[in-house]
Amino acid sequence: MYELPRLSYDYNALGKYISKDIMLLHHDKHHQAYVDKLNAALDTHPDLKKESLDGLLRSVNTLPDDVRIAVRNNGGGHYNHSLFWEWMSPDGGGEPSGKLADQLVEKYGDFQSFVDEFTAKALAVFGSGWVWLQPDLSIITTPNQDTPLMLGQPEPLLGLDVWEHAYYLDYKNKRDDYVQAWWNVVNWNFVQSRLDSQTSVK
Ligand code: MN
């Protein structure tokens, strides 16, 4: 059975950028619902419980018809949100350093140009979806709760939830204000650790 992961910080820790009200709604209600619906779907296919979540998502297109959409939406939702909480930190923001910073500058010219391109893609997502920084430092988007794994891509280094449920309470319809605020809480240490681990696997 999948479980809702605990936050590694308080619900109010992201302060003025992401409010306690949003964190409570987003984590305790939305993420919990993905977990509950994923578990309910797998109860109808106990054979799939042996698979890792990664494995289920990578092979989602070959799952049986009666469980595929539920795993896609709720398994994707659980995977994406489990990472999303870790991609934010009360100690986040600023700029990355070390190898990650060097590689971003090499690809985008400077850090702000990377931020601008990621932000532009976040604002261009029509409806609900996510924006991702991939290990090759490309920026991609997915609709709904789809993950890069479903596209045959490696695990993302960084992702941003641009569903309205992620910001509506604080920012109403102003996604651009939410994205600008979010950069102040990005946990670059976690992004760097993901780059390091992916590099070491190669
Ligand atoms: Mn969300």
Side-chain angles (χ1 to χ4, degrees):
M1 297 286 279
Y2 290 96
E3 293 182 4
L4 184 68
R6 293 174 61 94
L7 296 179
S8 63
Y9 43 82
D10 291 338
Y11 287 94
N12 63 4
L14 303 179
K16 65 182 180 182
Y17 301 117
I18 311 283
S19 70
K20 179 181 180 180
D21 285 349
I22 282 190
M23 292 304 293
L24 282 167
L25 177 74
H26 201 178
H27 179 269
D28 287 14
K29 303 299 183 190
H30 286 283
H31 190 173
Q32 182 71 63
Y34 297 124
V35 171
D36 292 345
K37 289 176 183 174
L38 175 61
N39 286 328
L42 296 181
D43 277 341
T44 69
H45 277 271
D47 50 309
L48 297 179
K49 292 184 179 180
K50 300 190 295 282
E51 290 276 345
S52 66
L53 183 58
D54 283 25
L56 285 174
L57 298 179
R58 286 182 206 279
S59 61
V60 72
N61 290 320
T62 63
L63 295 179
D65 286 350
D66 61 332
V67 76
R68 186 173 58 241
I69 292 172
V71 169
R72 180 174 203 134
N73 291 339
N74 300 295
H78 178 43
Y79 174 92
N80 294 343
H81 287 83
S82 296
L83 286 165
F84 187 57
W85 313 130
E86 295 195 72
W87 279 318
M88 300 190 289
S89 165
D91 303 318
E95 298 188 13
S97 57
K99 193 171 65 181
L100 175 62
D102 293 346
Q103 292 187 11
L104 285 172
V105 168
E106 187 179 337
K107 182 161 179 93
Y108 291 95
D110 54 59
F111 177 69
Q112 189 58 46
S113 296
F114 156 71
V115 168
D116 291 346
E117 184 162 337
F118 191 99
T119 299
K121 292 204 168 166
L123 301 184
V125 172
F126 181 76
S128 299
W130 290 75
V131 192
W132 309 101
L133 175 66
Q134 291 300 109
D136 65 357
L137 302 187
S138 63
I139 301 165
I140 64 172
T141 66
T142 55
N144 304 313
Q145 293 298 349
D146 286 3
T147 76
L149 302 183
M150 295 174 190
L151 305 173
Q153 290 254 350
E155 298 216 40
L157 300 182
L158 175 66
L160 170 59
D161 185 348
V162 296
W163 282 57
E164 280 193 343
H165 71 217
Y167 60 91
Y168 202 82
L169 284 182
D170 285 358
Y171 297 99
K172 297 296 184 281
N173 59 322
K174 296 193 171 69
R175 185 187 288 176
D176 51 345
D177 289 352
Y178 157 68
V179 176
Q180 291 303 332
W182 177 77
W183 289 113
N184 291 287
V185 295
V186 173
N187 182 355
W188 291 112
N189 290 336
F190 184 54
V191 179
Q192 177 70 63
S193 74
R194 292 177 68 77
L195 179 65
D196 292 342
S197 66
Q198 301 229 2
T199 305
S200 66
V201 167
K202 282 175 191 166

